Structure formats: structure tokens, C-alpha cells
Amino acid sequence: MKELSQPAGSAFSDTPQQWHDIDWCRVQRNVRGMQIRIAKACREGKWRKVKALQRMLTRSKSARYLAVRRVTENQGKRTAGVDRVLWDTPDAKWKAAQGLKRRGYQPRPLRRVFIPKSNGKERPLGIPTMTDRAMQALYLLALAPIAETTGDPNSYGFRIERSTADAMSQLFTCLSQKASARWVLEADIEGCFDHINHHWLVANIPTDKAILRKWLKAGVVHKGQLQATDAGTPQGGIISPTLANMVLDGLESGLKQYLGRAKAKKLKIHVVRYADDFVITGDSPEVLADEVKPWVEQFLAVRGLRLSPEKTQIVHIDQGFNFLGWSFRKYKGKLLIKPSKKNAQAFYRKVKEAISNNKTTRQENLIRLLNPVLRGWALYHQPVVAKQAFSRMDFLLFQAIWRWAKRRHPRKNLEWIRKKYFRTSENKNWVFATTVLTEEGSKKDFVLYTLSETPIERHIKINGEYNPFDPSMEAMGEKLRMDRMLKKLKYRKQITSLYVSQKGRCVLCGQPITKETGWHDHHIVHRSQGGSDATANRVLLHPNCHQQLHNRGLTVSKPAPSGASLKA
């Protein structure tokens, strides 16, 4: 067996013959290098060069491989389009990558499905076929550098390394001071994805016009009937969020240019946007109503959009407003951001429904079902003033679980039920917990996550000028990605330890592990061969790299100070 040092690409053929022959390190490097060149040409205003580089990227093998990998690893990989085809084998992925070409490409209609919204209504989704998804992912690789370079500084939705917490932090900066803006235009675009003007999209989005026009006019199949698509970009397509973002880019910069930067600063005009939700701050309601709102309506009308009359309003900060699941309001001059009542109620309904639908399940299974949901909601609201909301929710959940426990044993007295399902732990009574056996045969307490024990931690906002395709900001991006991944893994100590020891990179391909790529926990010596669960016998790999490792019969060793080694 030959031992090779990183990068792992040296163990792969220069011309791959099958899916698992692909050197993903080289693929990522090739695509990123081209994306950086596109972003540089975009910053310099060399649009002919941008177009030439985009054409070169979309025709490269590396980009095709990466596009197929994305659509076969994301959450929708098991959801088929109208042709009911899935790429769930290495051979299918390889053939798909070879056939991903512009010439002769004709997209299939979208499959219409509906998912429930928090207000009880349904949101329509259009599901493309796997081929159409891969084509969208391919052209998105060439479009993303432009979207990130030309995007508004305070646009935070569907952008690399940006989140709702960044938008919240920016609003805190704009509203928290004594001299900050006191009035807010809370805007809501009516059916944003459904009404975007196709002519505007084709004329203004810097991508292949013919391909874009085909996607927009592909149509939708609902209940066996083909329906034409005359406007909008479907929710469900990989490229749709980026297209919608680019439609609204210019809202912030254009408004400040219209008012004049000096006047906008004097009037305390700030725009904070997350996808199609945005708020605009101002020093007086007259400025927002008479100058800002008419300009915004004109800006949207050109793109085929309009504000919702019912949901768009101008409010005083003392009255407060809701944005992204949080309530922003000043109490005696102090800005407090709390989980909104609507968000808390929707969350409680979700958890209560999960408890009601599992009346007969074992206690450990119910805890296993609820803990990720509880932890996810707690971590979302961790950066805001949420202790009171957490305590209130803990009380409501206790009542729901107590009813669940009593229903299971109608003939037992309450003290018997309490002793069976609840215990005292670290000076806390009524802890919903049970004892389970681990794989090693030892006993371990399995406890329901307590929301009120989540520590409140201030979120560190991303720099508004951050561009992931600017090499000068590479170090900033690396630190940001590591910090946020470590925060995400905070309650998974062993995974955190592995992530830190690998410096946040996959042992096989050497590329960053992010929440978008996901990861697999690989045992170097397989458990079936006597390998232990100790961290010394485990490494983190990308899901595709993990599959590649097993299919090619490769092994990896723990990362050393100089890097990990790969054995073929």
C-alpha cells in the first residue's frame, strides 16, 4: 500500500473514467479560480470578459461535476420532477455529468407541490427535474460571483455566509442609539416570486439569455394539466433565490442615490433586506410616506412587483414591529429584540402536534424527536432577549408532556407517573428524562432539552462589504466560517473536537466543511472490524468524499500537524 500526502488529488486519475475517480480537490480549485476571475472582471466593469469567462466555466468538466454533486447531495436529492428520475447511483451521476450540455437542452415543466406556511396557508413550489436542477446549479456557479459582487451591502438572504442574525444585528445598529431613527417602513412584497417580470429578468440578469428564457417559460404541471408561466421565477429552483435577490439588488444603493447620500444620512435612512422582506428606517413618518415609499413602489413596478397594501405600514419604534421572527421595540428608550408572539405560537403548535402524534411512542424516542427541534429554535433566538420566552415555552411544553404522560397510564396515580417519567437532576425537579443503554452496554441519562438553559450570546455581524470571491477577504471568510460552524456544533462536543483538529476541512479532499456541504462521521478502523467510537478513530468527511472513500477502497489517517495522509 502506497502512502500519499495531501492534497488527496494525487491518488486520482487525471482523466476520470467514473464518478468515484473524480478528484474533488482539483474540481473545487478549478471552479473557484474561474469564479474569482469573474468577480474581478465584474468589479472592473469588464462585462465582455465576464461573459467570456462565464461561457468558459459553464462548459468546463469541473463545473459540470460540481453541479451534479450539488443536486445529488442537497435536501431535495430524493424529490423527483415530472419525469420521476433520480440520480441515486454513481453510474447515473457520471452519465448525467457527461450529458450536461447547452446544445439541444430543453427544460421540462415543473412539478407543482404545496407546502404549509406558518399562517395556515400553502406555499406553491415548482420542482424541476434532476437535469434542470443540475443545469441551474451549473449556471449558478457562473452567476454567483456577480450576485455577490453587485449585491447591496445590507442584503442578507440567500447569500454566502449571511444569515437572519446578520440582518437582525444590522437593525440593532441602526435603531439602538438614543439618536437613531424612530420610524420604520415595514414593507411586504406581494407574491414576490410569482410576479417578477420576465422581460426585465432576461434584459438585466447577466447570464445566458436563451437558457434563462427557457427556464422561465418551461411551464408547470399541476393535477395533470400543463399551465403556462408568464411571470415569476418558481420557488423550488436552485437558481431562483439568486434571481430574486438580483431583482431587488439596487433597492438600498438606488434609494440613497435618489435622496443623495448626505440627505439620506441626515434623515437616518437605512435599508435592511432579507430576500424579499425588508425594512427602511427614517427620522419622520412624512419622509417615509412621501419620499421613500413612492420611490420604492416605482422601483418595484419596473420589475413587475408591488407592495402589499395590507401588510406594508409605517410604525414608530416605541410601537414596535416584527421582522424575521423577532419583535423589535423600544421600551423607555432601550431597544429590545425578542422572539415574536407569532413565531412562538407557531413553534408551540409544531411541538404540540409532534407530541400529540406520538402518544404511544417510547419516552426516549419522543425525546430524540423533540430535542433537535427545541435546540434549533433556541439557537435561532440565542442572540436576542429570549430568556423570558424560553421560560414560558418550557412551562407550556411541560404541561403538554405531563398530559402525554397521564394519558398513557389512566389507572395509575400521579406520583407513580411522576416517578416513571420525571426525575431530579442538578437541583432541578420534574426533569423529563430516561435511562438508555449505549452501544458499549453502559447506561446513560437521556434528557429533554431545556430551552431556558440556552445562554444568550450576542451575534457577531458579518461585514457588509464581504465578498466570498475576493481573495483579499479569504482570511475573513475562513475565520467567519470556522466561528459559525463551531457555534453550530457547540452542543456536540466530539464533533467539535474533530472539526477543530481538522481545521474545518475534509480529510480526503481538503476543502472546507460547512453547514451547506454537511459531513459524515467516518471510523478509520470500521466498527465491524473492532474499531472504537473514540475520537482517535474518527474523522469528518464530506458525504460524497465518504462514499468515494468506501467505493475506491481508500483509507485515511488522523490529521497530523502537517496534514492528513491518504492510503490507496
Side-chain angles (χ1 to χ4, degrees):
M1 297 229 290
K2 184 181 178 183
E3 183 167 311
L4 301 161
S5 60
Q6 289 285 49
S10 55
F12 299 91
S13 168
D14 288 341
T15 54
Q17 303 299 317
Q18 57 175 333
W19 184 252
H20 290 306
D21 287 344
I22 298 171
D23 176 358
W24 291 109
C25 184
R26 178 180 295 175
V27 163
Q28 297 269 13
R29 188 172 60 245
N30 291 346
V31 171
R32 179 155 179 80
M34 193 67 73
Q35 288 178 319
I36 289 173
R37 291 176 65 190
I38 292 172
K40 183 174 183 290
C42 179
R43 287 194 300 275
E44 295 171 350
K46 299 178 180 177
W47 292 102
R48 291 184 66 180
K49 186 175 181 180
V50 166
K51 189 175 180 180
L53 290 170
Q54 283 184 307
R55 188 184 304 113
M56 197 183 307
L57 178 59
T58 53
R59 294 181 181 182
S60 71
K61 287 185 178 180
S62 292
R64 296 207 304 266
Y65 294 151
L66 209 57
V68 172
R69 175 175 169 173
R70 173 170 179 175
V71 300
T72 54
E73 285 191 359
N74 63 13
Q75 291 182 344
K77 63 184 178 182
R78 295 186 182 90
T79 306
V82 292
D83 59 359
R84 301 293 175 181
V85 172
L86 291 176
W87 298 337
D88 48 7
T89 65
D91 189 48
K93 295 174 188 177
W94 177 253
K95 289 179 179 177
Q98 301 307 311
L100 210 61
K101 297 178 181 177
R102 183 184 187 278
R103 178 174 292 181
Y105 169 68
Q106 185 61 45
R108 303 285 294 272
L110 306 167
R111 182 165 70 91
R112 174 70 81 208
V113 297
F114 294 88
I115 59 171
K117 295 170 66 175
S118 59
N119 59 7
K121 296 182 181 179
E122 290 185 322
R123 185 190 305 278
L125 289 184
I127 309 299
T129 63
M130 294 296 288
T131 300
D132 295 335
R133 268 179 262 176
M135 283 294 283
Q136 289 188 18
L138 177 62
Y139 280 85
L140 179 57
L141 289 172
L143 184 61
I146 302 172
E148 289 291 342
T149 303
T150 60
D152 285 334
N154 292 305
S155 161
Y156 297 99
F158 303 115
R159 292 183 64 184
I160 299 170
E161 300 300 345
R162 299 187 181 219
S163 65
T164 53
D166 291 311
M168 177 273 297
S169 297
Q170 177 62 22
L171 268 178
F172 181 83
T173 302
C174 297
L175 297 169
S176 60
Q177 300 298 319
K178 189 175 181 180
S180 295
R182 296 170 296 165
W183 293 88
V184 173
L185 171 63
E186 185 186 358
D188 183 270
I189 300 175
E190 197 168 58
C192 177
F193 280 84
D194 299 327
H195 297 108
I196 298 173
N197 186 288
H198 282 182
H199 296 294
W200 191 95
L201 272 172
V202 173
N204 292 277
I205 300 299
T207 190
D208 190 305
K209 310 293 183 187
I211 295 291
L212 178 58
R213 193 178 288 109
K214 287 179 180 180
W215 286 334
L216 296 175
K217 301 298 182 184
V220 174
V221 173
H222 180 50
K223 294 182 178 179
Q225 299 293 318
L226 178 62
Q227 302 171 358
T229 46
D230 299 319
T233 176
Q235 296 185 63
I238 284 179
I239 204 171
S240 296
T242 302
L243 293 179
N245 244 344
M246 297 186 77
V247 167
L248 296 176
D249 278 335
L251 183 66
E252 179 182 356
S253 55
L255 177 58
K256 290 184 178 180
Q257 186 177 354
Y258 165 73
L259 294 172
R261 295 200 173 273
K263 183 179 178 181
K265 185 176 181 180
K266 182 181 178 182
L267 296 174
K268 300 169 185 174
I269 301 295
H270 298 283
V271 182
V272 179
R273 179 166 67 85
Y274 187 89
D276 59 335
D277 295 327
F278 64 92
V279 295
I280 303 176
T281 67
D283 202 33
S284 70
E286 292 78 20
V287 168
L288 293 175
D290 301 336
E291 293 190 60
V292 173
K293 189 178 176 183
W295 184 88
V296 170
E297 289 174 335
Q298 184 180 1
F299 174 88
L300 295 176
V302 174
R303 293 153 174 79
L305 304 172
R306 69 189 188 103
L307 294 174
S308 169
E310 299 82 17
K311 297 180 181 178
T312 300
Q313 55 183 340
I314 297 172
V315 297
H316 194 278
I317 191 61
D318 290 349
Q319 178 186 344
F321 64 95
N322 293 338
F323 185 60
L324 302 177
W326 290 301
S327 169
F328 296 75
R329 185 177 175 184
K330 271 191 174 179
Y331 298 83
K332 296 180 180 180
K334 185 175 182 179
L335 178 68
L336 296 183
I337 306 172
K338 304 178 181 180
S340 69
K341 289 183 179 179
K342 182 180 177 182
N343 181 274
Q345 288 169 354
F347 173 72
Y348 176 64
R349 284 196 300 269
K350 178 181 178 180
V351 176
K352 191 177 179 184
E353 184 181 358
I355 295 171
S356 299
N357 292 341
N358 290 274
K359 292 184 176 73
T360 60
T361 193
R362 295 170 60 187
Q363 184 182 8
E364 64 180 271
N365 291 336
L366 182 64
I367 294 174
R368 191 172 281 112
L369 175 70
L370 294 180
N371 272 357
V373 180
L374 298 177
R375 187 177 288 112
W377 191 74
L379 293 180
Y380 183 82
H381 294 294
Q382 189 179 34
V384 303
V385 184
K387 277 293 185 183
Q388 188 176 357
F390 288 166
S391 297
R392 171 67 178 164
M393 191 61 66
D394 277 337
F395 174 70
L396 293 175
L397 293 177
F398 165 74
Q399 289 184 316
I401 288 171
W402 180 237
R403 286 193 295 269
W404 173 88
K406 288 194 296 183
R407 183 189 178 280
R408 295 164 69 88
H409 307 282
R411 298 183 182 180
K412 296 289 186 179
N413 62 57
L414 299 183
E415 181 62 18
W416 185 93
I417 297 172
R418 185 188 70 80
K419 287 181 178 179
K420 178 172 177 59
Y421 292 105
F422 297 88
R423 61 184 61 178
T424 300
S425 174
E426 298 178 359
N427 299 322
K428 290 186 299 180
N429 297 321
W430 294 88
V431 177
F432 190 64
T434 186
T435 301
V436 296
L437 287 174
T438 64
E439 292 183 356
E440 291 82 10
S442 59
K443 292 183 178 181
K444 185 179 87 169
D445 286 343
F446 202 37
V447 183
L448 185 71
Y449 184 79
T450 305
L451 295 170
S452 57
E453 291 183 356
T454 306
I456 303 301
E457 296 179 2
R458 177 64 60 86
H459 177 79
I460 300 174
K461 191 183 87 68
I462 192 173
N463 188 322
E465 302 298 328
Y466 172 68
N467 184 344
F469 300 103
D470 186 345
S472 66
M473 299 185 181
E474 191 76 31
M476 184 194 301
E478 287 283 343
K479 185 178 185 305
L480 189 73
R481 184 164 51 247
M482 283 285 288
D483 290 346
R484 295 192 173 180
M485 274 295 290
L486 288 173
K487 185 176 180 181
K488 178 183 176 68
L489 298 172
K490 185 174 182 179
Y491 297 96
R492 303 174 68 176
K493 294 181 180 178
Q494 290 190 336
I495 299 294
T496 303
S497 173
L498 293 172
Y499 184 81
V500 171
S501 69
Q502 296 175 203
K503 298 181 180 178
R505 294 182 176 273
C506 171
V507 170
L508 188 61
C509 71
Q511 296 300 310
I513 294 174
T514 67
K515 60 183 179 182
E516 286 79 20
T517 64
W519 63 86
H520 281 179
D521 187 355
H522 171 69
H523 288 69
I524 298 170
V525 178
H526 299 177
R527 281 182 290 185
S528 59
Q529 299 172 357
S532 73
D533 280 329
T535 53
N537 188 46
R538 291 156 57 194
V539 291
L540 299 182
L541 303 170
H542 289 132
N544 194 78
C545 292
H546 193 203
Q547 192 178 41
Q548 189 178 61
L549 181 140
H550 283 287
N551 276 274
R552 289 177 58 85
L554 303 172
T555 62
V556 290
S557 63
K558 288 293 288 185
S562 59
S565 63
L566 170 73
K567 297 178 182 179

